[in-house]
């Protein structure tokens, strides 16, 4: 039989202890039955005959006591005592079981028991709160998705699609009378005829006719969705009563919002539109005329 | 065998051109017994395909040379074919057969049987009575609550703020560790119609949960390529308070339809055309691209668009019938990677 002092002597400094973990400032003991976690003369379960620990299993705490007579049979060496769920009662039980044991051992056991109960309480509290589920990303899949997204972006040709859709809506008249764009053919005819006897009502009729023709002729845009909400929008826009003054105001606002670069785009339009409008203004929009003229310049 | 080795040894000292000649000579020797004397016009190699492939040549330089030559030949042939075809077409003039349409992924897409027919009555009836009918019958205006996952970082916070400017009547609230299941009844009591949760990972938004509130469907998206306003080139000024228009492109199947309605119901139904702002959700190959533009009609044939606002892409991960409930919810559609990602021509939206 090797004395405990010799065991400790060998373990601590000379020979190898497989439970020992050394860091820069401290030594830890990885033995499961160690009360503190440190590698000390008093905390080493191998080098002490009178040893006790507290361990928990599935939420219940047990007091483990080492029986030196069975040191030869490590599987049966530790005696297990179930501790009560009540904190104070469990402390008393520890005291009863470890009566006449050195104070150090009793104290450390109780400390360990306290810590264990505290972390059990925290576990129970956390499980009631929201638990974050971590979903692992597969790198291969992520790369594949990224590549597919790039390709889809190129295939989508977003700007073109959006412009097409907007022009479609303009043709279908969702915007109502906000934009008074004369259609090309009508424009040419207008220039040819040297505007004389056309009243505003006639112009409107012709506009509508032109728009109807366009509606019939419009090209089929594949796989474009006209949502129900949009349809209801169309209906609404047709019912919107916009007086001429309101239209003029809207146009003024929209023109003011433009950044100056865009006004260049507008001016070529001003020519023919101006012609028609000049005629109109003579009859109706006299108040607005000076404002629009100043903007054009 | 031995002859080959001798010639190889010799060629190591010689230059490239000589090597080529040697190779040709070698191959002529090798193929001599096998092939006929017919040769292509461009090279001295025989026209019959040799019984060995390029990969059997052990010498890397030579192998690469041969491969390069093969490629050049192929290219030449292709060019000749093209020229021939063009000449034929010009010669025929009007009678020429119509140009062949190149195959694209969209052309080759596997037909999905849930594709919506525009005149389908069943679909129309369903859409008239589903959870969005309240919105589409103009009874309710949308009110959106935007929030994030716990402890959002700067990018996510700014993204949420920008989203709130894009979507009218949207409010951003801090999450502060609240459970969604508790948040939802509170939202309902305060008359919100939408709950949008932006999930964050490593300081970058990467997921979005869009929940239609009075027990509407919940959609979970993967968010990628988020560009905030200041990162966008040539953008316009900040969006105004006008209600934007909505464009939904390419939502063809039933699933796509329901997602499209989900997006449409985010925005109020009377867009203010004075604002000239348009929000676009464009679906392409199951990726939904979101853009926010300001448009202006230069004339009736041209429109100019200027991008404002954030842009991001979404990919649908799952659609759940009720409000958010990951444990006991009933899922209408879940993205199953092994079944759905294997075929490159099959899309679900």
């Amino acid at each position: 039989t090797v004395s405990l002092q010799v065991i400790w002597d060998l373990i601590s400094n000379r020979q190898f202890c497989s439970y020992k973990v050394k860091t820069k400032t401290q030594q830890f003991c990885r033995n499961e039955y160690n009360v503190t976690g440190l590698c000390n003369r008093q905390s080493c379960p191998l080098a002490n005959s009178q040893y006790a620990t507290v361990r928990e299993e599935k939420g219940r705490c047990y007091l483990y006591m080492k029986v030196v007579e069975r040191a030869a049979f490590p599987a049966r060496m530790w005696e297990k005592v179930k501790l009560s769920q009540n904190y104070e009662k469990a402390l008393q039980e520890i005291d009863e079981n470890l009566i006449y044991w050195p104070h150090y051992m009793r104290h450390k056991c109780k400390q360990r028991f306290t810590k264990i109960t505290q972390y059990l309480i925290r576990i129970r509290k956390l499980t009631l709160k929201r638990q974050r589920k971590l979903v692992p990303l597969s790198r291969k899949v992520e790369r594949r998705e990224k590549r597919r997204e790039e390709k889809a972006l190129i295939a989508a040709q977003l700007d073109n699609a959006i412009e097409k859709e907007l022009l479609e809506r303009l043709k279908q008249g969702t915007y109502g009378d906000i934009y008074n764009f004369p259609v090309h053919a009508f424009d040419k005819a207008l220039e040819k005829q040297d505007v004389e006897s056309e009243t505003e009502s006639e112009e409107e009729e012709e506009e509508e006719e032109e728009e109807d023709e366009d509606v019939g002729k419009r090209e089929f845009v594949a796989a474009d969705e006209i949502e129900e909400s949009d349809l209801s929008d169309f209906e609404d826009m047709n019912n919107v009563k916009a007086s001429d003054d309101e239209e003029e105001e809207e146009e003024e606002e929209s023109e003011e919002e433009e950044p100056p670069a865009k006004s260049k785009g507008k001016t070529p339009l001003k020519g023919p539109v101006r012609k028609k409008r000049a005629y109109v203004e003579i009859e109706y929009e006299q108040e607005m005329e000076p404002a629009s003229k100043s903007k054009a310049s | 065998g031995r002859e080959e080795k001798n010639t190889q040894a010799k060629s190591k000292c010689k230059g490239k051109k000589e090597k080529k000649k040697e190779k040709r000579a070698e191959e002529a020797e090798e193929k001599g017994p096998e092939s006929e004397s017919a040769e292509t016009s461009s090279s001295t190699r025989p026209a019959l395909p040799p019984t060995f492939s390029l990969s059997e040549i052990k010498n890397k330089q030579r192998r690469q040379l041969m491969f390069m030559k093969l490629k050049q030949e192929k290219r030449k042939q292709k060019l000749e074919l093209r020229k021939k075809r063009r000449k034929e077409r010009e010669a025929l003039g009007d009678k020429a057969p119509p140009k062949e349409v190149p195959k694209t992924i969209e052309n080759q897409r596997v037909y999905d049987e849930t594709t919506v027919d525009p005149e389908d009555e069943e679909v129309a009836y369903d859409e008239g009575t589903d959870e969005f009918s309240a919105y589409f019958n103009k009874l309710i205006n949308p009110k959106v609550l935007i929030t994030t996952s716990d402890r959002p970082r700067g990018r996510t916070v700014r993204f949420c703020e920008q989203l709130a400017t894009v979507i009218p009547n949207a409010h951003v609230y801090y999450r502060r560790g609240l459970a969604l299941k508790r948040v939802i009844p509170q939202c309902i009591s305060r008359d919100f119609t939408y709950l949008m949760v932006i999930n964050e990972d490593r300081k970058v938004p990467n997921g979005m949960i869009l929940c239609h509130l009075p027990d509407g469907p919940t959609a979970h998206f993967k968010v990628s390529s988020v560009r905030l306003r200041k990162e966008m080139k040539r953008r316009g000024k900040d969006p105004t308070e006008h209600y934007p228009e909505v464009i939904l492109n390419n939502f063809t199947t039933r699933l796509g339809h329901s997602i499209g309605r989900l997006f449409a119901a985010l925005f109020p139904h009377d867009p203010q055309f004075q604002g000239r702002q348009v929000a676009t959700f464009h679906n392409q190959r199951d990726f939904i691209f979101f853009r926010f533009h300001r448009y202006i009609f230069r004339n009736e044939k041209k429109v100019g668009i200027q991008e404002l606002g954030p842009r991001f892409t979404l990919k649908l991960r799952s659609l759940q019938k009720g409000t958010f409930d990951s444990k006991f919810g009933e899922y209408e559609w879940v993205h199953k990677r092994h079944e759905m990602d294997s075929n490159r021509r099959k899309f679900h939206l």
Side-chain angles (χ1 to χ4, degrees):
Chain A
T1 56
V2 191
S3 107
L4 299 166
Q5 188 55 42
V6 175
I7 294 178
W8 173 248
D9 196 29
L10 291 172
I11 286 176
S12 67
N13 284 322
R14 296 179 203 268
Q15 302 267 35
F16 177 74
C17 173
S18 68
Y19 300 110
K20 188 163 160 184
V21 174
K22 265 174 106 163
T23 36
K24 222 191 273 185
T25 46
Q26 240 187 357
Q27 296 174 349
F28 295 100
C29 183
R30 278 193 316 137
N31 194 325
E32 321 134 337
Y33 291 99
N34 192 316
V35 194
T36 64
L38 317 168
C39 189
N40 285 331
R41 174 68 181 89
Q42 285 183 309
S43 316
C44 189
L46 309 170
N48 283 310
S49 54
Q50 225 182 9
Y51 203 84
T53 328
V54 177
R55 280 171 72 189
E56 66 97 16
E57 208 175 318
K58 291 185 194 159
R60 291 305 304 260
C61 299
Y62 298 88
L63 174 68
Y64 286 78
M65 288 175 289
K66 180 172 176 184
V67 180
V68 189
E69 293 82 35
R70 301 192 221 137
F73 313 103
R76 299 176 236 158
M77 193 165 53
W78 295 90
E79 286 270 331
K80 198 160 131 175
V81 172
K82 198 175 202 177
L83 296 173
S84 112
Q85 286 283 58
N86 187 342
Y87 181 69
E88 287 92 7
K89 238 186 152 190
L91 289 180
Q92 285 171 14
E93 281 176 16
I94 293 177
D95 266 329
E96 288 165 16
N97 277 301
L98 301 182
I99 198 168
Y100 307 133
W101 280 49
H103 176 77
Y104 176 85
M105 201 87 299
R106 272 184 280 145
H107 185 61
K108 289 296 177 190
C109 280
K110 282 188 250 177
Q111 271 188 342
R112 194 180 170 91
F113 174 69
T114 313
K115 189 165 268 181
I116 288 177
T117 47
Q118 283 174 348
Y119 81 60
L120 285 175
I121 292 172
R122 206 200 281 163
I123 289 177
R124 275 180 245 134
K125 222 194 282 184
L126 279 179
T127 52
L128 289 178
K129 276 193 177 180
R130 314 153 41 217
Q131 290 185 338
R132 188 164 302 178
K133 185 176 171 195
L134 293 175
V135 177
L137 294 174
S138 165
R139 211 177 308 170
K140 177 171 153 190
V141 172
E142 292 304 306
R143 259 191 285 148
R144 201 204 302 161
E145 294 286 304
K146 202 170 109 175
R147 181 92 176 131
R148 284 193 188 167
E149 189 188 319
E150 287 167 7
K151 294 281 182 181
L153 183 63
I154 295 172
Q157 295 179 346
L158 284 169
D159 290 340
N160 291 351
I162 296 177
E163 286 172 10
K164 247 191 200 173
E165 176 70 26
L166 288 171
L167 287 171
E168 277 274 326
R169 290 193 185 177
L170 180 67
K171 278 187 188 164
Q172 287 191 333
T174 48
Y175 302 128
D177 290 331
I178 304 178
Y179 306 102
N180 298 335
F181 289 131
V183 190
H184 268 318
F186 172 67
D187 220 1
K188 285 181 191 165
L190 181 60
E191 285 175 13
K192 281 178 195 169
Q193 282 181 27
D194 259 350
V195 186
E196 286 161 18
S197 54
E198 289 172 343
T199 60
E200 192 193 16
S201 56
E202 277 182 23
E203 287 164 18
E204 278 183 354
E205 282 172 18
E206 282 175 334
E207 261 188 60
E208 284 165 15
E209 284 171 24
E210 293 287 343
E211 282 177 7
D212 286 341
E213 283 176 20
D214 275 347
V215 165
K217 284 181 208 158
R218 81 191 136 112
E219 54 190 4
F220 174 70
V221 181
D224 250 4
E225 228 22 272
I226 301 179
E227 289 291 341
E228 284 188 350
S229 62
D230 297 345
L231 285 175
S232 49
D233 281 343
F234 299 171
E235 291 164 3
D236 268 2
M237 284 321 300
N238 286 336
N239 296 337
V240 163
K241 18 174 187 160
S243 68
D244 295 327
D245 286 347
E246 282 183 16
E247 286 172 30
E248 285 292 334
E249 281 174 4
E250 285 170 8
E251 282 187 307
E252 278 185 8
E253 280 177 27
S254 63
E255 285 168 357
E256 279 165 3
E257 281 170 6
E258 289 171 36
K262 284 192 182 170
S263 58
K264 285 184 191 166
K266 267 273 187 187
T267 40
L269 192 57
K270 282 285 184 179
V273 178
R274 240 266 199 84
K275 257 198 207 169
K276 185 185 86 164
R277 266 219 238 134
Y279 194 80
V280 167
E281 280 167 5
I282 292 172
E283 300 198 30
Y284 295 90
E285 275 86 19
Q286 284 173 358
E287 319 95 83
M288 293 301 149
E289 204 180 303
S292 58
K293 268 196 182 157
S294 61
K295 229 185 287 91
S297 59
Chain B
R2 255 185 241 154
E3 292 173 352
E4 211 184 305
K5 279 190 195 163
N6 284 339
T7 46
Q8 277 182 8
K10 275 190 218 163
S11 65
K12 274 183 198 167
C13 332
K14 297 180 187 169
K16 250 194 191 176
K17 275 193 183 167
E18 294 177 342
K19 251 197 220 165
K20 275 195 216 169
K21 283 189 195 155
E22 294 241 0
K23 243 183 286 156
R24 275 196 219 137
E26 257 186 45
E27 302 203 4
E29 279 178 36
E30 289 190 44
K31 295 169 209 161
E34 300 168 339
S35 69
E36 298 161 3
S37 55
E39 289 177 350
T40 53
S41 52
S42 49
S43 72
T44 52
R45 266 171 282 132
L48 258 196
T51 53
F52 71 92
S53 69
L54 277 183
S55 53
E56 283 177 27
I57 304 177
K58 301 291 184 185
N59 187 333
K60 185 171 180 178
Q61 276 188 334
R62 231 181 264 172
R63 190 173 61 232
Q64 285 181 343
L65 261 165
M66 297 304 295
F67 186 68
M68 201 172 61
K69 279 225 219 100
L70 184 73
K71 280 268 181 155
Q72 284 171 357
E73 265 198 48
K74 274 196 186 165
R75 223 181 293 154
K76 252 196 224 171
Q77 285 174 7
K78 188 172 170 192
L79 211 62
E80 282 173 18
L81 203 63
R82 254 198 188 172
K83 277 194 186 158
K84 206 168 62 163
R85 257 194 244 143
R86 204 196 302 163
K87 272 192 195 154
E88 282 174 14
R89 166 165 285 124
E90 280 173 16
L92 286 180
D94 281 335
K95 293 181 285 180
K99 266 196 177 172
E100 296 156 32
V101 180
K103 291 189 203 170
T104 63
I105 295 188
E106 280 76 28
N107 288 345
Q108 308 295 98
R109 174 178 173 174
V110 164
Y111 176 72
D112 198 337
E113 65 261 359
T114 61
T115 308
V116 173
D117 207 14
E119 293 110 35
D120 203 342
E121 292 169 350
E122 189 191 329
V123 172
Y125 174 71
D126 274 340
E127 297 189 349
T129 54
D130 75 351
E131 295 115 344
F132 295 106
S133 55
Y135 166 80
F136 284 113
N137 295 336
K138 298 190 190 289
L139 299 171
I140 309 176
N141 249 336
K143 193 174 172 195
V144 182
L145 177 70
I146 303 181
T147 182
T148 65
S149 53
D150 290 339
R151 297 187 176 263
R153 310 297 289 178
R155 217 181 141 82
T156 315
V157 169
R158 271 178 276 147
F159 179 54
C160 287
E161 286 169 21
Q162 293 185 3
L163 267 184
T165 57
V166 161
I167 303 176
N169 206 1
H171 306 270
V172 182
Y173 281 92
Y174 275 133
R175 181 71 176 273
R176 293 172 103 244
L178 301 169
L180 279 183
K181 283 197 209 160
R182 302 243 179 91
V183 168
I184 287 177
Q186 285 199 18
C187 284
I188 298 180
S189 66
R190 289 182 207 191
D191 278 338
F192 278 96
T193 54
Y194 263 100
L195 173 67
M196 188 189 285
V197 183
I198 312 264
N199 192 45
E200 185 197 345
D201 179 50
R202 295 220 196 146
K203 308 179 192 177
V204 133
N206 76 342
M208 181 197 291
I209 297 180
L210 196 52
C211 186
H212 186 78
L213 272 184
D215 60 50
T218 309
H220 176 40
F221 296 97
K222 174 170 98 143
V223 169
S224 43
S225 353
V226 172
R227 297 275 171 274
L228 299 176
R229 251 183 225 134
K230 63 179 187 179
E231 294 161 10
M232 302 221 288
K233 305 181 181 175
R234 292 186 218 109
R235 67 173 163 100
K237 300 187 191 161
D238 287 336
T240 57
E241 295 289 326
H242 296 104
Y243 295 164
E245 291 177 54
V246 181
I247 291 182
L248 298 159
N249 272 342
N250 267 348
F251 288 98
T252 49
T253 64
R254 283 300 292 273
L255 179 66
H257 243 256
S258 40
I259 300 288
R261 288 159 67 76
L262 195 73
F263 289 133
L266 267 176
F267 296 89
H269 13 82
D270 306 315
Q272 294 168 331
F273 297 125
Q274 308 159 268
R276 284 186 288 130
Q277 292 174 140
V278 56
T280 310
F281 291 89
H282 181 105
N283 171 38
Q284 188 83 14
R285 304 181 193 173
D286 280 356
F287 287 99
I288 302 171
F289 298 102
F290 171 81
R291 300 286 184 270
F292 194 71
H293 293 279
R294 184 172 280 144
Y295 63 87
I296 178 154
F297 285 107
R298 302 186 196 281
N299 54 38
E300 75 280 359
K301 299 268 185 215
K302 267 206 305 183
V303 57
I305 54 175
Q306 193 186 37
E307 186 157 6
L308 356 152
R311 61 155 82 152
F312 52 91
T313 58
L314 300 169
K315 184 159 201 277
L316 181 67
R317 278 215 201 117
S318 67
L319 182 62
Q320 186 189 351
K321 239 182 173 359
T323 55
F324 179 73
D325 189 345
S326 46
K327 275 194 245 172
F328 305 112
E330 176 198 340
Y331 281 92
E332 242 183 73
W333 188 83
V334 172
H335 178 80
K336 294 183 189 141
R337 184 159 60 90
H338 290 287
E339 290 175 20
M340 302 181 179
D341 266 356
S342 51
N343 189 349
R344 287 189 217 188
R345 304 284 179 261
K346 187 162 171 41
F347 305 111
H348 310 277
L349 273 189

